[in-house]
Amino acid sequence: AQTVTQSQPEMSVQEAETVTLSCTYDTSESDYYLFWYKQPPSRQMILVIRQEAYKQQNATENRFSVNFQKAAKSFSLKISDSQLGDAAMYFCAYSTPRGRRETSGSRLTFGEGTQLTVNP
Amino acid sequence: SAVISQKPSRDICQRGTSLTIQCQVDSQVTMMFWYRQQPGQSLTLIATANQGSEATYESGFVIDKFPISRPNLTFSTLTVSNMSPEDSSIYLCSVGHWLGREGYGYTFGSGTRLTVV
């Protein structure tokens, strides 16, 4: 079974600084997706960034980037120029879509989460 | 991407009663997923709801406690039955969908915060 591990229950960063959140996963699949979701106190799950396993290039979304190491099964999230609004719980997640023709796929498997605090 | 309307957003219920949570999607999707998030914890999949067939439950979750309906491709309900304080959690629905060149993604409802007293 696939598992996702986030070894940092809590992290803190100074405003405008850079922080990296760690995530490792275990799978025997070759084609899969990895995600980072942000959950602020409003509890809404917000997609931060997504990475397809067959793409070697690391995904980036503005101040957010990932370091995807497929062989090591590592998927860390780097937040640059941290802002107060980045404070939230961050979840790493994994899925294996069933097929590219289908409109839905398999469920997400989540890590335990990392609570990020941004200090002014 | 799909948009999900989830209701209610929160509720406070008496033990022994039941609560039904609804999720409406603005597009047709084959499967919907129901998650539970206990206080301070991660999301745990309760079941996968497929239109036209019975939901598939994960280990530790049973149909008598969490009956699910999926009458069509845009709607699903999750009922939390015979509630106890241990059922106090956030419940979220989700769908997965292809985003064309952007690949695959998931959309979540806004969650239902349930408190059982």
Side-chain angles (χ1 to χ4, degrees):
Chain A
Q2 292 83 13
T3 59
V4 178
T5 302
Q6 294 177 247
S7 60
Q8 305 155 316
E10 298 178 347
M11 290 284 284
S12 64
V13 62
Q14 290 296 125
E15 195 175 3
E17 297 293 310
T18 296
V19 64
T20 298
L21 308 184
S22 301
C23 173
T24 59
Y25 59 96
D26 187 24
T27 183
S28 59
E29 301 286 343
S30 60
D31 187 18
Y32 50 88
Y33 282 85
L34 295 164
F35 304 84
W36 278 98
Y37 281 93
K38 168 185 176 180
Q39 189 182 41
S42 67
R43 73 181 175 271
Q44 179 71 51
M45 294 292 286
I46 301 168
L47 176 66
V48 175
I49 201 164
R50 167 182 40 229
Q51 175 80 43
E52 298 182 56
Y54 73 88
K55 290 186 177 180
Q56 293 186 343
Q57 186 174 7
N58 289 325
T60 61
E61 287 288 344
N62 302 315
R63 297 182 296 107
F64 299 89
S65 62
V66 298
N67 183 4
F68 174 47
Q69 301 290 329
K70 190 173 184 179
K73 297 180 180 176
S74 172
F75 183 61
S76 61
L77 174 69
K78 185 172 79 172
I79 305 174
S80 304
D81 186 24
S82 296
Q83 301 176 359
L84 295 177
D86 295 333
M89 179 71 83
Y90 286 80
F91 292 101
C92 178
Y94 165 103
S95 80
T96 306
R98 288 190 165 198
R100 295 184 179 274
R101 290 183 180 273
E102 296 190 18
T103 56
S104 60
S106 68
R107 42 68 173 282
L108 279 165
T109 299
F110 288 90
E112 304 91 336
T114 297
Q115 181 67 52
L116 178 65
T117 301
V118 181
N119 300 310
Chain B
S1 61
V3 176
I4 302 176
S5 173
Q6 182 172 347
K7 298 178 181 179
S9 60
R10 62 176 62 228
D11 208 339
I12 301 174
C13 300
Q14 296 291 323
R15 67 177 67 202
T17 63
S18 298
L19 176 72
T20 296
I21 302 167
Q22 301 180 1
C23 278
Q24 178 75 51
V25 190
D26 68 346
S27 59
Q28 294 184 339
V29 291
T30 306
M31 289 190 291
M32 293 181 70
F33 307 98
W34 286 96
Y35 292 87
R36 181 178 73 180
Q37 186 178 22
Q38 295 178 301
Q41 297 190 22
S42 185
L43 284 73
T44 301
L45 184 67
I46 298 172
T48 301
N50 201 355
Q51 194 270 334
S53 63
E54 283 201 4
T56 302
Y57 289 82
E58 298 297 306
S59 175
F61 298 97
V62 295
I63 187 172
D64 290 345
K65 176 67 176 177
F66 298 101
I68 288 172
S69 76
R70 186 79 203 279
N72 56 53
L73 291 174
T74 63
F75 187 78
S76 180
T77 67
L78 169 76
T79 299
V80 186
S81 303
N82 189 24
M83 289 184 284
S84 67
E86 293 70 34
D87 295 320
S88 297
S89 295
I90 296 170
Y91 293 85
L92 299 105
C93 61
S94 176
V95 300
H97 44 90
W98 289 103
L99 303 172
R101 292 180 59 186
E102 294 183 23
Y104 200 79
Y106 294 81
T107 300
F108 287 82
S110 53
T112 298
R113 184 183 296 275
L114 171 62
T115 303
V116 183
V117 297

